[in-house]
Amino acid sequence: MPDTSSEPAPVILGNEPGAFPHGVLAERHPAIIRQVREAFPYDPERQRALDALLASCADGVIEPLPADADARDRRRWADWGLDAYAGRSWFDVPWLWAESHFYRRLLDAVGYFGPGAWEGLDPFRPAKLAELDAPETDEELAALDDLADLPADERTRALLHGSLWGNRADLGFRLSDSDSGTGTKDRVRALVADDSDALWSLLPPAGTSASGPNATGPITLCLAADNAGRELVPDLLLVSHLLGQGRVDRAVLHVKPYPYYVSDATPADVLDALRRLVAAGGAAAAYGDRLWTALTDGRVTVRAHPFSCAPLPYADMPGDLRADFAAATVTVLKGDLNYRRLVGDRWWPPTTSFTDATAYFPGPVAALRTLKSDVITGLTADTEAALVASREQRWRTSGTHALIQVRR
């Protein structure tokens, strides 16, 4: 594990009662276990394992992986800190680590890694599909027909904001937050940072020159997705649009190799979302058909790197993933978890430079995120002061504020 003793900001833990991280560990995780248990007719062995994990969430300690766990996975988690944290309370280790390991143990409890009847079955799939098939999704897809008459730049901006605010479609987040969001005008005003012009300078319209260190050669977008369902759909729409406009020549979509954080996207979720687009008719189907073709001819690829489920910041990424990002014209990281991993899940002063916090990243990087946890960087002093003075004390965690941040 990296030595963090000299870092300027403390790592966020979950051991402060009443604080947001503590609530996730003490309340959200038990709620997720109950949701998963009710979604499937698990056999007595699986039910006992879920009960044991539920008890562990309240007063237990972190345990080693089961003896029958895959040897490569055991080595991976040993490298990721399990040997150092085993035997300690969930609340006394880095919150990012504790959250990530919870989902790994939940998959153990339901038999995801097998062998057995439950091997490979996503315990969150019923909730994901319910959201993907919801009437709200139909309405959002039908609204694409109205974008056709807009100028190209306005269409591009609308799809970027659709991808940004789609980040509220987070099933785990909804378990502990009943807020349904704000209207479009409020959402625009709730942007605490907006570097979208810098993003478009890296991905300009066809026939113009891109800026940045990887501006020569094919324009490649790496997009690290966050949630499945109603968030992944606008992500795919954005990628399809950028391909159609000639702003990118190829795209690499990074998703999770196995179910994670309730609604995080896996390869199976990409296929579900793509089929939803193709079957929708109208403009949505045209976006879906373009993406389907791009997948079949290799202009779009889907990758599920093991590090995507690591309980560590991107600063610790392995060499092959670093090379992937280094080759991209820009890497776009979606969502709150990716942001925490990008800048480090620490109590940074909000005015900490986003550029400095991401200086290690091997190429241009952009963050599209609605705020659903405490970590934040890159705010101006005036913006921070206005937020602190506002009546909404939960602006960091409520999902009502968002940001677009870019480091070229």
Side-chain angles (χ1 to χ4, degrees):
M1 293 187 61
D3 178 11
T4 59
S5 59
S6 61
E7 295 289 344
V11 172
I12 295 177
L13 305 178
N15 58 2
E16 182 182 345
F20 183 74
H22 187 277
V24 169
L25 298 177
E27 299 170 17
R28 183 186 297 182
H29 287 180
I32 289 169
I33 294 172
R34 288 189 286 269
Q35 177 197 50
V36 165
R37 182 169 179 159
E38 293 170 1
F40 289 94
Y42 286 118
D43 56 64
E45 181 183 0
R46 303 273 68 83
Q47 293 181 44
R48 286 192 295 271
L50 287 168
D51 287 343
L53 182 59
L54 184 62
S56 177
C57 287
D59 54 12
V61 298
I62 296 164
E63 299 177 359
L65 292 180
D68 58 355
D70 179 78
R72 287 174 300 176
D73 195 34
R74 289 170 64 87
R75 288 194 299 270
R76 206 176 281 136
W77 275 94
D79 292 341
W80 292 345
L82 182 56
D83 289 350
Y85 293 145
R88 296 176 61 181
S89 167
W90 293 92
F91 297 91
D92 293 334
V93 302
W95 180 45
L96 173 64
W97 198 97
E99 275 200 289
S100 297
H101 192 61
F102 165 78
Y103 287 99
R104 175 62 182 78
R105 297 315 301 261
L106 180 60
L107 293 181
D108 273 333
V110 298
Y112 179 85
F113 295 108
W118 302 104
E119 182 177 3
L121 290 179
D122 184 348
F124 311 123
R125 184 167 175 78
K128 290 177 178 178
L129 291 179
E131 182 179 89
L132 195 60
D133 294 336
E136 292 85 354
T137 306
D138 290 323
E139 295 169 6
E140 291 165 358
L141 293 178
L144 291 170
D145 295 338
D146 298 330
L147 295 182
D149 297 328
L150 294 178
D153 286 349
E154 290 186 32
R155 218 163 45 243
T156 300
R157 183 166 57 251
L159 289 167
L160 176 68
H161 280 261
S163 177
L164 170 66
W165 287 105
N167 188 221
R168 278 195 56 81
D170 179 337
L171 297 170
F173 176 68
R174 289 180 180 182
L175 286 173
S176 58
D177 191 310
S178 59
D179 180 17
S180 60
T182 58
T184 302
K185 293 183 180 179
D186 291 332
R187 288 176 173 182
V188 172
R189 287 199 296 266
L191 277 175
V192 299
D194 186 1
D195 294 340
S196 52
D197 287 344
L199 177 59
W200 299 137
S201 73
L202 294 165
L203 302 174
T208 57
S209 298
S211 63
N214 297 331
T216 60
I219 305 299
T220 301
L221 167 69
C222 271
L223 191 150
D226 190 32
N227 298 306
R230 284 176 59 207
E231 178 178 356
L232 186 58
V233 165
D235 291 346
L236 297 182
L237 292 172
L238 179 61
V239 171
S240 179
H241 174 75
L242 294 176
L243 286 167
Q245 293 293 306
R247 286 180 178 262
V248 302
D249 299 310
R250 58 187 304 269
V252 182
L253 183 64
H254 285 265
V255 296
K256 305 301 190 298
Y258 50 76
Y260 194 60
Y261 277 71
V262 182
S263 52
D264 279 20
T266 67
D269 297 318
V270 174
L271 295 178
D272 286 338
L274 182 58
R275 290 191 185 101
R276 184 74 162 89
L277 283 176
V278 171
Y287 281 102
D289 289 339
R290 183 189 300 124
L291 198 59
W292 189 290
T293 300
L295 282 160
T296 60
D297 65 25
R299 285 177 295 140
V300 174
T301 56
V302 178
R303 295 187 185 164
H305 195 285
F307 192 78
S308 294
C309 289
L312 302 175
Y314 279 110
D316 298 331
M317 74 180 86
D320 60 334
L321 187 58
R322 176 175 291 272
D324 208 16
F325 292 149
T329 305
V330 62
T331 297
V332 174
L333 300 176
K334 279 294 306 295
D336 198 78
L337 174 61
N338 274 324
Y339 189 85
R340 291 163 62 192
R341 298 185 69 194
L342 175 63
V343 302
D345 203 32
R346 296 175 174 274
W347 290 108
W348 299 112
T351 54
T352 299
S353 166
F354 177 76
T355 296
D356 290 348
T358 59
Y360 71 89
F361 204 84
V365 62
L368 301 185
R369 174 213 185 193
T370 56
L371 278 58
K372 294 180 288 190
S373 67
D374 290 298
V375 65
I376 185 73
T377 67
L379 300 188
T380 66
D382 288 346
T383 298
E384 180 192 10
L387 289 167
V388 171
S390 70
R391 294 182 179 180
E392 186 178 358
Q393 299 302 310
R394 296 176 58 241
W395 63 268
R396 289 178 182 250
T397 61
S398 64
T400 56
H401 294 72
L403 58 80
I404 303 171
Q405 291 177 325
V406 176
R407 195 223 72 207
R408 287 189 266 192

